[in-house]
Structures are given as C-alpha cells and as structure tokens.
Amino acid sequence: MEFVQAKNQIKQKFMEYVSEHLTPSKSKNQYICPFCASGTGPKATGAFTVYPEKNRYKCFSCGLSGDIFDLAAQIERISDKKAVFRFLADKYSLQVDYQKPANSCSEPEKKKSTAHDYSQFYKSANAHLHETAYHRGISISTLNHFGIGFVSDWQPPNNLNAPKTPRLIIPRSSSSYLARDTRQDIPDWQQPYSKQNSPDKISLFNISALKNTKKPLYIVEGEFDAMSICDVGGEAVAVCSTSNIHSFLQAVKETLSQKSAVQPFIVAFDNDTAGQKATETLSNGLHELNMPFCVYNPYGSHKDANEALNADRMKFQADILYGMEHISELTADRQNKEKSAYIQKNSVSAYLNEFLDGVSESVYTSAVPTGFRALDYVLDGGLYEGLYGIGAISSLGKTTFVLQIADQIAENGNDVIIFSLEMSRNELIAKSLSRKTAMITLHSNRDMSNAKTTRGILTGKKYSGYSTEEKQLINTALQQYRQYSDRIFIIEGMGEVGVETIRAEVEKHIKNTGKKPVVIIDYLQILAPHNEKSTDKQNTDHAILHLKRLSRDYKLPVIVISSFNRENYSSKVSMQAFKESGAIEYSSDVLIGLQLMGTGTKNFDVDEAKLRYPREIEAVILKNRNGTTGKKIG
C-alpha cells in the first residue's frame, strides 16, 4: 500500500499500542506518564491523558504530546522517524510501497536539527566511571577503551522534568549515546525506560572497526554484547537497534566503495525471535553486497553475548575464538573456490580441449566461396566466421557487388539472409535478374542491348514492346535464378530493423533450416538506433559490436555494407573513410573498400569516372586479420 494509507492505518492503532505498553491510572483515559512518571503518586492519578477520538496524547505534567509515532519512538528507543515508521509498519504487518516519490506520500520535510556534540559530556562522565560497579562483567580497560562513563543524576536532555537516575553512559558517536540505568532495583513503572537514548538519531556502536580491524567482525545487537566480545579478544560492531540494520549495510556499502578492505562478518544476534528475524534481514543484505559472512551462535543457551560472558567467561572466550577461526576457514575456502572458478573460466588451459575439438571439426567446415576467384584467393578460400565490412562512396555499386556475392554463394549451395534496409525485395530480385541477362548475353556473344536494366525487369508495361529474343533472355535468367532462390532470404526493413531483430531472425533461420547462413546487412548506417538519445556514432558502434558478437556466437560470416564520409569521395579508400564508426575499423575481421580506378590521382574527377560505361571499379583489402592487406582486385 502507499505511504499515506499505511500512515493513517498505523495512527488508528494508537489505543491498541497504548493498552499494550502503558500502565493505566485510576481515572478514565489516564495513564502513568512514560516520560515524567506522573501517576505514581499516592492517589495514582496521572496527568498523562489519551484522546481516543484523536489518537493522540498529552501529559499535563511534563508538557509532552504527540501520536503513536512519538510514543513508539520513546518506548522502543528509536529516534529516527523513518525507522519508527518501518518498525510500526512491520509490527502491524503492513506492506508499504517505499518507492513512491517523497512529495506524493509524505509531509513536507522539516528542517533537520543540528546534531548535538556530546564529546565533553563523555569525558566528564568517563572521569566518574570509578563511582559505579555496574560493569556487566566487562573489564575496566575495555570500558575505558570505548569511553564509557557514569552520571549519578542523569536526566534525558529533552525532558528535564523526568526523575534523575544513575546511568552508565555508552557513547556511540559524538552525537548519540545510550544511558543505562545502573540501579539494582528499578521500579516496575521505570523498567521500560531503563535503557534510554540521547534524542539524536541512533548511531552504530564501534563502527570504526569496519575499516580498522584485521579480525573477522562480529555483528551483534547491543553495546554490552559488542564490548563483551572485544573483552575476550574478538572484535564487534553493535547495530544498537534491529531497525538500524539498513544503516549498517549502508556503512558496509560505503566502505566497499572506498576500496577499503572489509573483514568477513559473523552474524550473532540475540537468541530470540527478534534476533532471528534480524539475522534474516541482515543476511539478505550481505548476500546482495556479496560479502563473506556466516551466522553463528557463540552463546549456547544464553540470550546474548553479555549473558554468556557472565555465565562462563572461559567457555565464552573459546566459543568467540572458534567463530573467528571458522569464518576465516570459510573465507579461505570461498577464495580458493573463486580462484579455481576464475582459472577454469578464463585460463587458456580450460579451453584447450574445446580448441582441439574445433580444429577437428574444421576439417568438415570449409570456407564459403564468394564466387570471385581473385577475392577468394586473398581471403584464403572465401568467407569464414567473422565480420566483413564493405564500403564505398554513394552510387558506386556496393549493393550490386554484394548481391552478386550473395547469388554466387547461394548457387554454391549455401543459405544467405539479406537484410535490405533501403531497397525492396522486388528491387533486389530485379537486380539479380538484370545482372544475369547481361552475363548470359556476354557469354553467348549476343547483342548486349538485349540485356535489361533493373527498371527494365520491374516495369511490366515494357514487356509488350520486348522482342521474342529479349523475352526469352529474361525467361532464361529467371530459370537460372529459380534454381537457387530457395537459398536466398530477403528481409525488408525501413527504420525498424536493428541488431536485435537481425539476431532473432538468424536464430529462427538456424532453428527452422538447420543451416548457418551468410548474413548480409545493407546497410550499416540505417539500422534502427539502439538508443534514440545516443549519437549516430554511438549507435553505429553499438551495432558493429553486436554484429561481431553474432558472427562469433553462431560461427558464421556477417557482411556489413557501409557508406563513406563525404570528404573521402575523391580520395583513396582508407579505414578512416567508413562513416560514423570507429568500431568497424577495430572490430571487423576483413575490411574492403570499393573505389573507382584512378581515385586519389591528380586531376581525378569522380563524377566523370562514374559516367564511364562500363565503370572501372577495384576492391582494396584495407584489413585482413588472417591474411595480407593493401591488395587491389580489379
């Protein structure tokens, strides 16, 4: 439920909470004040009045008032408002959505009060430590180490109307401490207030040990428990309240972020229901931080560390030291397992057998010939697993060149998937048929004027004007194309096809046909962007890296057509010419640039060269990870 709804439900529990925790006096709706003890006089009439219709209280003796949150903060010894809310929400089993924006579920934030500095108070109290024998079995040296003090007439700093009582002062930080009543016989009405906090937010006890200790670190609930463990040679941090566990986890997280070494933890909360619940909460948090820890009970049948210390100091010390040795062994075992797993996953030795299997399998896996002999020679037989980049200036014939490779691969018995992001399926088919009419005519020494352009193939109304020989030529080209057309797969796309779509289609093809295709993308710069907010270069680099991963994951060739930068139109092809991408230069296995013959020479005119028929084009091998580079194929 939302925060506001939960808050209102908790407020309705006010009288239930009052009945559970306060002692009624003789008058209706009046109770013994938990702050000033009004109501303990001879007439047992209290000034602490509750208002059931408003779910609030007011003490007319000490002047304090509030609602269930204020009352619980004092009785439960929780000074942080958020922690009070969480405590009550858990107490009444409310599932609260804490992720809602603060301005939609909470009251306007009050100005944070300046934290008190009790440093001088601690020094003064420590000077009087000798005045009390309330040491709870802990040595004077340990008490002094933690700056423990004594005040014979302590009053809560925020309630000077409260009765004065002798208190052991336990500093947690410069702005937070616990005042522990040292009397042997405490009146029943004061028992709930025998442990009182300073009015500031409860701090963790001995949290500096998180960074400074070289020992495994016990995590306990109370300050006396932590000091008991330290007194027998261990090291411990006390959370001081089970509602403070999130503060401890945050301290661990901050320490880790500073690259500080953190010792393994031993979770040793109290032997009771609350301790078990707190153990589960802390364990889940430590798991998320990937911190080494163990849950261990060094107390036997005793409730906590201090009780176990006073029952049998020697046994308690042995149990504490055993826990430290145990977590050290567990940590060493974990480190050994992590080391072994790392070596197994990353060292070359772990992959030698796989490597040898791959070599054996390669006997049956030959290169995929492109159908261009000179190109296949340079590529050591044809296309292998890897990323092939083919680039050229606009309108130079990149698609025509790669489409011919696709047709020749399919004619040789291999599947090809073409992702055509600019041209339609019909245009690509027409291009193939047009090329075939030219090749048939050329090989038969017939009139080249009969060969048809792409438009001549696509425009149906022109067929009525074609001669019988021209129609027969188109029909022959179609019959040849039909023989391998079931191995050509063309997927159209305009702005919506990205690398994720390409991977999905390749996976589908392999699943349905059992064959690994040669993948062709025409062209790189118009792939759907991975992120609309990224630059063109960032999106193009992302596409290249994922296409490279596709080739590696499925062990197949991927051919990517790329445009050139405009400033490279009149200069020789180079790796820097590939548009919008530095990744293609580094990630490709083979990089081929197409250029007009004569490009880069003096007085070269690119427009004039394009008008020549036939155009003279050469392929330059700019990069060849497993062969020679710089070779030109005319």
Side-chain angles (χ1 to χ4, degrees):
M1 66 178 66
E2 293 186 358
F3 183 92
V4 173
Q5 184 182 1
K7 188 174 183 179
N8 291 333
Q9 287 198 24
I10 292 172
K11 285 183 177 180
Q12 299 305 314
K13 299 289 185 180
F14 174 73
M15 288 306 299
E16 182 180 333
Y17 188 85
V18 167
S19 300
E20 182 181 353
H21 291 88
L22 299 187
T23 303
S25 63
K26 289 184 178 179
S27 301
K28 183 180 180 182
N29 291 336
Q30 290 188 334
Y31 294 80
I32 295 174
C33 179
F35 310 119
C36 68
S38 172
T40 57
K43 296 183 180 180
T45 55
F48 187 93
T49 305
V50 300
Y51 302 93
E53 69 281 1
K54 297 181 179 179
N55 290 316
R56 294 185 65 82
Y57 67 86
K58 179 177 177 62
C59 179
F60 291 93
S61 176
C62 64
L64 296 179
S65 62
D67 58 13
I68 186 173
F69 297 104
D70 301 301
L71 188 60
Q74 180 68 21
I75 292 176
E76 308 295 343
R77 301 185 298 118
I78 306 172
S79 51
D80 180 61
K81 291 184 178 181
K82 291 181 180 178
V84 174
F85 181 89
R86 288 178 181 271
F87 169 80
L88 291 171
D90 290 343
K91 177 179 177 65
Y92 296 114
S93 303
L94 301 180
Q95 300 296 321
V96 185
D97 182 3
Y98 293 104
Q99 303 303 315
K100 291 289 184 182
N103 60 5
S104 69
C105 62
S106 63
E107 296 175 356
E109 210 176 297
K110 296 180 181 179
K111 291 184 179 179
K112 294 183 179 178
S113 57
T114 304
H116 294 86
D117 186 350
Y118 296 110
S119 301
Q120 292 302 317
F121 170 67
Y122 295 155
K123 289 182 180 179
S124 174
N126 181 246
H128 294 275
L129 179 61
H130 65 279
E131 296 176 10
T132 181
Y134 188 85
H135 300 161
R136 300 283 291 266
I138 300 168
S139 67
I140 289 292
S141 61
T142 297
L143 293 174
N144 280 324
H145 172 75
F146 289 105
I148 309 304
F150 175 71
V151 175
S152 60
D153 55 353
W154 181 83
Q155 286 180 300
N158 61 338
N159 184 11
L160 298 182
N161 291 319
K164 297 179 180 181
T165 52
R167 298 278 173 154
L168 200 69
I169 305 301
I170 305 174
R172 300 185 184 116
S173 70
S174 63
S175 61
S176 172
Y177 69 87
L178 172 68
R180 184 68 168 86
D181 198 322
T182 61
R183 290 177 294 172
Q184 186 172 359
D185 296 316
I186 302 174
D188 290 343
W189 70 269
Q190 283 188 325
Q191 285 288 351
Y193 320 113
S194 62
K195 293 183 284 185
Q196 289 184 267
N197 297 301
S198 56
D200 304 88
K201 180 179 178 180
I202 297 177
S203 301
L204 301 160
F205 179 76
N206 195 32
I207 191 58
S208 61
L210 196 62
K211 295 182 180 179
N212 301 330
T213 187
K214 302 298 181 184
K215 304 175 183 178
L217 193 59
Y218 278 88
I219 313 302
V220 296
E221 290 184 38
E223 296 88 339
F224 283 112
D225 299 324
M227 288 189 286
S228 297
I229 290 172
C230 294
D231 205 40
V232 297
E235 190 66 85
V237 168
V239 297
C240 303
S241 168
T242 54
S243 64
N244 219 17
I245 289 175
H246 68 282
S247 296
F248 173 74
L249 290 170
Q250 184 61 34
V252 174
K253 188 175 181 179
E254 290 174 0
T255 304
L256 292 172
S257 70
Q258 297 166 4
K259 309 300 182 184
S260 299
V262 178
Q263 299 300 317
F265 299 135
I266 306 169
V267 181
F269 286 151
D270 292 358
N271 278 333
D272 55 20
T273 302
Q276 292 173 0
K277 185 176 180 181
T279 296
E280 182 180 354
T281 301
L282 180 55
S283 297
N284 291 337
L286 293 176
H287 273 303
E288 290 181 7
L289 294 176
N290 196 31
M291 273 300 302
F293 75 96
C294 71
V295 176
Y296 171 61
N297 172 24
Y299 317 139
S301 59
H302 302 291
K303 178 180 180 292
D304 54 33
N306 188 246
E307 189 176 301
L309 172 75
N310 286 283
D312 189 336
R313 185 183 184 90
M314 295 297 292
K315 183 179 184 304
F316 176 68
Q317 182 177 36
D319 289 340
I320 289 297
L321 296 178
Y322 173 80
M324 294 164 64
E325 293 172 2
H326 177 63
I327 188 61
S328 296
E329 291 173 359
L330 288 178
T331 303
D333 183 57
R334 168 177 164 161
Q335 290 173 343
N336 288 334
K337 287 181 179 178
E338 288 178 350
K339 177 182 178 181
S340 177
Y342 173 81
I343 292 173
Q344 182 66 26
K345 180 179 179 181
N346 297 290
S347 72
V348 172
S349 64
Y351 290 92
L352 276 178
N353 288 336
E354 183 179 330
F355 168 76
L356 294 173
D357 290 343
V359 173
S360 298
E361 291 175 5
S362 69
V363 173
Y364 309 101
T365 307
S366 57
V368 179
T370 65
F372 290 107
R373 290 183 180 180
L375 181 59
D376 289 337
Y377 176 78
V378 174
L379 299 179
D380 193 23
L383 305 176
Y384 294 86
E385 165 195 341
L387 182 64
Y388 295 77
I390 297 178
I393 63 174
S394 178
S395 303
L396 195 66
K398 301 183 293 292
T399 300
T400 301
F401 173 59
V402 174
L403 185 60
Q404 185 171 349
I405 290 176
D407 285 349
Q408 289 167 177
I409 288 172
E411 281 186 282
N412 199 39
N414 296 284
D415 284 6
V416 181
I417 298 181
I418 302 172
F419 292 90
S420 182
L421 311 182
E422 187 177 38
M423 302 178 71
S424 70
R425 181 182 291 107
N426 287 346
E427 285 179 289
L428 293 185
I429 293 172
K431 266 185 172 293
S432 292
L433 292 175
S434 170
R435 185 186 66 254
K436 283 194 172 294
T437 63
M439 294 178 70
I440 293 169
T441 301
L442 185 63
H443 291 159
S444 61
N445 294 316
R446 296 178 186 175
D447 184 0
M448 284 296 295
S449 65
N450 288 332
K452 296 296 171 242
T453 63
T454 300
R455 188 175 298 279
I457 297 290
L458 279 174
T459 309
K461 66 181 180 180
K462 290 189 176 184
Y463 280 66
S464 60
Y466 289 159
S467 65
T468 302
E469 185 177 356
E470 287 175 305
K471 292 179 180 178
Q472 183 61 43
L473 177 60
I474 295 173
N475 187 54
T476 302
L478 183 59
Q479 288 177 359
Q480 290 183 6
Y481 186 74
R482 192 185 298 276
Q483 289 177 5
Y484 61 84
S485 60
D486 61 344
R487 293 189 289 276
I488 294 277
F489 300 82
I490 300 173
I491 296 174
E492 298 174 314
M494 183 62 74
E496 72 277 6
V497 174
V499 288
E500 295 81 8
T501 305
I502 291 172
R503 174 176 280 269
E505 290 293 339
V506 171
E507 288 175 349
K508 189 189 302 181
H509 184 92
I510 294 173
K511 179 180 179 181
N512 290 325
T513 68
K515 296 180 180 180
K516 295 180 181 180
V518 173
V519 179
I520 296 173
I521 295 95
D522 183 18
Y523 59 96
L524 176 63
Q525 281 74 23
I526 54 176
L527 276 169
H530 168 69
N531 187 338
E532 295 286 353
K533 296 181 180 180
S534 298
T535 64
D536 289 344
K537 182 182 185 306
Q538 289 171 331
N539 280 316
T540 303
D541 286 351
H542 176 272
I544 283 292
L545 294 175
H546 280 265
L547 292 173
K548 171 71 173 180
R549 184 173 297 170
L550 175 67
S551 73
R552 184 185 61 193
D553 290 348
Y554 292 99
K555 300 187 181 304
L556 47 77
V558 175
I559 300 175
V560 182
I561 298 176
S562 174
S563 58
F564 272 2
N565 295 309
R566 188 168 295 277
E567 56 266 26
N568 293 98
Y569 276 26
S570 298
S571 58
K572 292 181 179 180
V573 295
S574 65
M575 287 193 285
Q576 291 77 17
F578 283 84
K579 190 175 183 180
E580 302 291 358
S581 180
I584 194 170
E585 178 181 347
Y586 303 110
S587 299
S588 60
D589 296 281
V590 175
L591 208 55
I592 301 173
L594 303 181
Q595 66 181 15
L596 292 160
M597 285 188 179
T599 300
T601 60
K602 188 177 181 180
N603 299 322
F604 175 75
D605 187 332
V606 63
D607 294 323
E608 181 185 346
K610 278 187 177 182
L611 292 174
R612 294 174 191 162
Y613 185 81
R615 285 185 292 181
E616 296 177 327
I617 297 173
E618 59 186 359
V620 182
I621 309 300
L622 300 172
K623 178 182 179 182
N624 188 0
R625 198 183 295 277
N626 298 298
T628 59
T629 59
K631 191 162 183 71
K632 295 181 180 179
I633 304 169

